[in-house]
Amino acid sequence: VRIARPGNLAIAAATFTLAAYVSGQRTWSFAADWRYWLELALMLAIMAGGYWVNDAYDFKIDRINRPTQTVVGPHLSRKKVLSVYFAATWLALTLSLLLWWKWTRINGCAAVTLYLYAAYFKRTAVVGNLVIASLTALVVLSGALLYTLALPLLWAMVFAFGITFAREVTKDVEDIRGDLQHGLHTLPILLGIRRTKWVLLVTHALMIGACWGPVLVHHLLGQDDLLRYAYTSVLLVQLPLVYVMVLVRRSRRPADFGEQATLLKAVIGGGLVSILLLPS
């Protein structure tokens, strides 16, 4: 349970539920739909498996980056973790056949991609970050496919992609010591921390600008009642991102980036709340 990252799974479940709520015309009818519950369970199982296989491949790196938090190796053998991963993933993919072919393909793609990420993509600059960001956006799409892909969910996908990309790069800076010793080619290793900070600053600035995209588009569509969204976005997303940018500028050591990764996780929650205030 610990290496399944229950906090991250909770955020994914909330994101999927929000997408189902919005796609179902903002009603709770999806709660009586067996497809919602099955896909939610399968999605979380596949995500948990992704964390398991990632820790199984990176346990030597984790011993350097997080020696007191490493589970695989000191407490669980790599063989046991991989055995549970393969069993859980195959069970999830088999049960996915009960769902629409769209979800079956999404689950299959996610499971394969998470394995390839742990084995290969994570070791390549930018590619691994883009893969995880895309899979996060896929969580929104998976919930949206339950009923109707409404416009706010498109913004949610953009938001989820951008924030996750920034957070993954931030974590790469934090973990640069262990990654460097084991031959990974992450963005901070190739560019250095100083240049990577500029990548983060630009990404955060783009996300702040993207928060005003819905206001512009809905204005062009003749929907101007977005004050609640704008206020919420400023308070829960944009101002925290400005604060994160200040922290990025001040950061000098890899350890300084840990707080930023935590704050970006909180920004995701703020983004979910603001998305709910967008008109369909």
Side-chain angles (χ1 to χ4, degrees):
V1 172
R2 179 177 171 183
I3 63 175
R5 316 296 199 280
N8 292 352
L9 294 185
I11 293 175
T15 303
F16 179 77
T17 301
L18 176 143
Y21 175 77
V22 175
S23 70
Q25 304 301 317
R26 300 177 186 269
T27 67
W28 295 98
S29 59
F30 67 87
D33 192 335
W34 65 270
R35 295 171 301 179
Y36 161 79
W37 293 105
L38 180 57
E39 173 57 15
L40 176 62
L42 297 180
M43 179 192 71
L44 295 180
I46 292 172
M47 285 187 63
Y51 288 122
W52 294 337
V53 71
N54 184 70
D55 282 6
Y57 272 97
D58 288 350
F59 73 98
K60 292 181 180 179
I61 298 176
D62 292 338
R63 283 180 176 177
I64 298 174
N65 293 328
R66 300 175 183 82
T68 61
Q69 301 175 22
T70 304
V71 174
V72 180
H75 304 289
L76 291 175
S77 71
R78 184 172 183 266
K79 181 178 179 181
K80 287 182 178 180
V81 173
L82 287 175
S83 297
V84 174
Y85 157 73
F86 282 114
T89 301
W90 278 114
L91 178 61
L93 293 179
T94 301
L95 291 176
S96 292
L97 297 175
L98 298 174
L99 296 166
W100 290 337
W101 63 270
K102 297 177 182 179
W103 274 333
T104 302
R105 291 186 178 183
I106 287 177
N107 291 342
C109 177
V112 172
T113 303
L114 283 170
Y115 179 83
L116 293 176
Y117 168 80
Y120 305 105
F121 295 150
K122 185 176 182 179
R123 287 150 178 78
T124 305
V126 183
V127 174
N129 306 132
L130 292 175
V131 165
I132 296 301
S134 300
L135 289 176
T136 304
L138 203 61
V139 172
V140 180
L141 178 61
S142 184
L145 290 177
L146 189 61
Y147 301 110
T148 305
L149 183 57
L151 183 59
L153 296 179
L154 295 178
W155 292 115
M157 292 174 64
V158 172
F159 177 81
F161 179 90
I163 293 296
T164 303
F165 176 79
R167 188 168 184 271
E168 289 299 309
V169 174
T170 300
K171 289 166 57 182
D172 283 344
V173 179
E174 184 184 7
D175 296 340
I176 190 173
R177 181 166 167 258
D179 293 347
L180 187 61
Q181 291 189 29
H182 284 83
L184 273 66
H185 301 285
T186 60
L187 197 64
I189 291 175
L190 293 182
L191 297 182
I193 294 179
R194 184 177 179 182
R195 291 180 179 177
T196 303
K197 286 169 60 175
W198 281 106
V199 173
L200 289 172
L201 290 172
V202 171
T203 302
H204 295 328
L206 288 174
M207 290 309 303
I208 291 174
C211 289
W212 292 99
V215 177
L216 176 61
V217 171
H218 284 280
H219 174 72
L220 295 175
L221 294 175
Q223 299 173 328
D224 294 324
D225 187 21
L226 270 77
L227 284 178
R228 289 191 304 164
Y229 162 78
Y231 289 143
T232 304
S233 177
V234 168
L235 290 175
L236 300 184
V237 178
Q238 298 176 51
L239 287 179
L241 282 177
V242 170
Y243 178 63
V244 172
M245 293 175 72
V246 172
L247 293 180
V248 171
R249 290 295 302 272
R250 293 177 177 175
S251 298
R252 295 291 181 270
R253 301 173 297 112
D256 297 335
F257 289 80
E259 181 183 358
Q260 298 168 36
T262 302
L263 286 172
L264 288 174
K265 188 183 294 187
V267 169
I268 294 175
L272 295 180
V273 174
S274 64
I275 292 296
L276 282 173
L277 299 176
L278 284 173
S280 298

